[in-house]
Amino acid sequence: MQLKQYEIVINEDKLTVDIQETCMKYKTIKQYAYILHDKDDTRNHYHIYVNFGNNGVSHELVASWFEVPPNLVSKVKGRKTDMLKYLTHGNDSQQHKHQYDPSEVVANFSFETEIQKSKIIGNFKEYSFAQMLKYIDTLPISEKCTAHRQLERLWKIECSMLTFNPDRNIDVIFITGKGGTGKTYYAKKLLEELG
């Protein structure tokens, strides 16, 4: 199989290569993150996440880079952020396991920013579109475009899903008046008060 991202899970004593050196050696690897799970009820093991951007790479090739059997290189289940949350057992289904500190994750990108982004962007139950835009504005310039594209895509999906629920309860407020009388200012203040 040729995929754009993989997870490798291997026992600590079976790993023969330096993870960071290997990830930096192959320019095809665009992003990587890994952690040693040494506080679980199992043998100490590494979880390694590798992402190849827009390119697909075979799992056999990845296995050869890390000198592991191909069956230890697997497809990422769910979204990238689900995988990243799993590194620290941050998923809802992993709350009964030891919670690793994000600082224990070694990554070539801002791991904590990526996790925070996943909690805010697309969470339309707790955050408004405007709040998500404000959050995106706080990100480094190198991450703003990707986050904005992700928000636009999720917003389109959210709007499509809302059309299937025609009985939703919506408050509509009409504000009228001549130009320059403060309609927009009033609307913004009203929205701020309503949260």
Side-chain angles (χ1 to χ4, degrees), residues 9-145:
V9 181
I10 185 167
N11 288 334
E12 181 183 23
D13 59 340
K14 301 286 184 193
L15 187 66
T16 59
V17 300
D18 181 286
I19 300 170
Q20 194 164 7
E21 269 183 33
T22 303
C23 290
M24 292 172 68
K25 180 178 179 182
Y26 298 99
K27 301 298 179 204
T28 313
I29 299 175
K30 303 301 182 200
Q31 289 187 324
Y32 64 84
Y34 63 92
I35 189 170
L36 174 63
H37 281 190
D38 56 356
K39 297 170 188 76
D40 295 347
D41 294 335
T42 59
R43 292 173 65 183
N44 293 354
H45 59 282
Y46 282 101
H47 282 272
I48 307 166
Y49 169 78
V50 289
N51 184 302
F52 306 103
N54 294 324
N55 301 316
V57 176
S58 75
H59 73 288
E60 291 96 351
L61 184 58
V62 175
S64 70
W65 293 345
F66 288 91
E67 298 177 12
V68 299
N71 65 315
L72 296 183
V73 179
S74 58
K75 178 181 179 180
V76 171
K77 296 168 187 78
R79 300 173 301 158
K80 172 185 174 182
T81 51
D82 296 330
M83 173 65 217
L84 295 179
K85 285 180 190 176
Y86 185 81
L87 295 178
T88 59
H89 290 153
N91 303 42
D92 292 339
S93 62
Q94 303 299 318
Q95 295 303 310
H96 63 285
K97 293 186 176 183
H98 175 80
Q99 300 297 297
Y100 291 90
D101 192 89
S103 65
E104 295 179 72
V105 176
V106 178
N108 69 337
F109 58 93
S110 176
F111 176 78
E112 292 185 58
T113 299
E114 196 76 29
I115 295 301
Q116 187 63 27
K117 193 166 46 171
S118 74
K119 291 178 183 176
I120 294 174
I121 296 176
N123 184 352
F124 298 107
K125 287 182 175 54
E126 294 182 37
Y127 299 96
S128 70
F129 188 83
Q131 288 171 316
M132 292 180 208
L133 282 174
K134 278 185 183 177
Y135 169 73
I136 289 172
D137 194 42
T138 67
L139 296 175
I141 192 78
S142 59
E143 298 177 23
K144 283 184 184 182
C145 284

